[in-house]
Amino acid sequence: MRKKIIAGNWKMHKSFDEAMALTSEIVNMVGSEYNGSAKVVLIPPFVYVNSVSRMVNATTNIACGAQNCSNHASGAYTGEVSAAMIKSCGANYVIIGHSERRQYFAEHNLWLAQKIDAALANDLVAIYCVGETLEERESNTHFDVLKSQITEGLFHLTAAKMANVVVAYEPVWAIGTGKTATTAQAQEVHAFIRNLIAAKFGAETANNLTIQYGGSVKPENAAELFAAPDIDGALVGGAALQSRSFTDIVKAMP
Ligand code: PEP
């Protein structure tokens, strides 16, 4: 059985005190209310990663991640944060290629492939985000876009390295818009991605790959999404900023 992962991406939200309060609420709620199989990952801004890691690493089913890492190992790159730094602060996951990084910071697939290498070299699980814009979906080019994102971002890896990669399918038109992809739309893309991975790395690697859905996941739609055969969890933005809604999404994963 492949791993189910529910991750909360806090983006650029919360003060330090608010982040600590949210973490402790989630630790308590998940600890007392959740008996399912999912790994829960809290993904705060960099400056809170060490504190959040200290709080969650004492639990069995909650971990911490970062929202981005540098493609460089170290050096004169003012403002950047390396994968090794993230790991040294106690995190075990890192998001690579979120659509907001692609859109506002011009991150492209080949650069993201280097970031994935940096993450894996430092024993971080890379959550690699892919997804099409509304224009690409409406012009029916979304499968071509997704194929490029997957092949250019991941196909340089070995099957062994793929064991530490998670793919998050996040249609850009569904992020922060309140517009969720239908379960059928998400399942279709997840199956497409799994087939691409199978063709390149073999059936075992594809079957073991966790593919999360992201885009306006809420307590109301999580259970239906999670029931689809190729949807292995969620990357949650807005609904991850409150302990009640995030924990209710976690609880929707058996
Ligand atoms: C995200 O940013 O990864 C995301 C899925 O956001 P939201 O849940 O708010 O759509």
Side-chain angles (χ1 to χ4, degrees):
M1 262 275 278
R2 54 184 167 259
K3 213 182 253 178
K4 311 291 183 187
I5 301 174
I6 318 284
N9 171 15
W10 299 355
K11 308 192 184 187
M12 200 171 72
H13 292 292
K14 306 277 178 196
S15 67
F16 179 76
D17 287 347
E18 289 166 347
M20 294 303 96
L22 178 60
T23 306
S24 108
E25 285 166 23
I26 291 171
V27 167
N28 289 334
M29 284 183 179
V30 169
S32 60
E33 300 176 21
Y34 186 59
N35 294 315
S37 60
K39 186 87 184 175
V40 177
V41 184
L42 306 186
I43 309 186
F46 282 133
V47 285
Y48 310 148
V49 162
N50 183 241
S51 302
V52 171
S53 293
R54 286 173 190 269
M55 292 170 78
V56 300
N57 286 351
T59 71
T60 52
N61 57 353
I62 311 180
C64 183
Q67 297 173 16
N68 178 32
C69 71
S70 174
N71 53 330
H72 299 287
S74 65
Y77 301 104
T78 301
E80 286 287 87
V81 174
S82 73
M85 291 170 184
I86 293 167
K87 184 73 187 182
S88 74
C89 284
N92 290 304
Y93 291 78
V94 61
I95 297 175
I96 306 285
H98 190 281
S99 63
E100 288 148 16
R101 303 286 321 168
R102 291 178 185 265
Q103 187 180 349
Y104 304 129
F105 302 94
E107 296 197 355
H108 52 77
N109 294 335
L110 297 177
W111 197 9
L112 297 172
Q114 294 174 4
K115 292 187 178 215
I116 289 170
D117 290 342
L120 299 182
N122 287 283
D123 203 20
L124 292 169
V125 173
I127 301 177
Y128 179 53
C129 298
V130 298
E132 80 283 0
T133 62
L134 185 59
E135 195 185 9
E136 288 159 349
R137 180 161 277 265
E138 286 177 343
S139 63
N140 213 27
T141 55
H142 52 299
F143 287 118
D144 295 334
V145 170
L146 290 159
K147 188 173 179 185
S148 304
Q149 291 171 339
I150 292 288
T151 56
E152 292 172 19
L154 299 178
F155 274 21
H156 65 292
L157 297 174
T158 61
K161 290 266 187 192
M162 282 297 295
N164 280 326
V165 172
V166 167
V167 172
Y169 169 55
E170 299 208 304
V172 178
W173 47 272
I175 295 180
T177 58
K179 207 170 168 182
T180 320
T182 64
T183 302
Q185 285 172 322
Q187 167 58 30
E188 181 186 36
V189 170
H190 284 226
F192 173 76
I193 292 170
R194 204 177 301 287
N195 284 337
L196 288 175
I197 298 296
K200 170 69 179 172
F201 298 102
E204 193 184 341
T205 301
N207 283 334
N208 288 334
L209 177 70
T210 299
I211 308 179
Q212 299 175 302
Y213 170 76
S216 300
V217 176
K218 309 180 263 283
E220 298 76 40
N221 58 25
E224 185 188 325
L225 287 161
F226 296 163
D230 287 290
I231 299 179
D232 308 312
L235 182 53
V236 185
L241 294 174
Q242 285 178 356
S243 53
R244 185 68 275 160
S245 50
F246 184 66
T247 306
D248 284 347
I249 291 170
V250 172
K251 285 163 69 180
M253 178 62 82

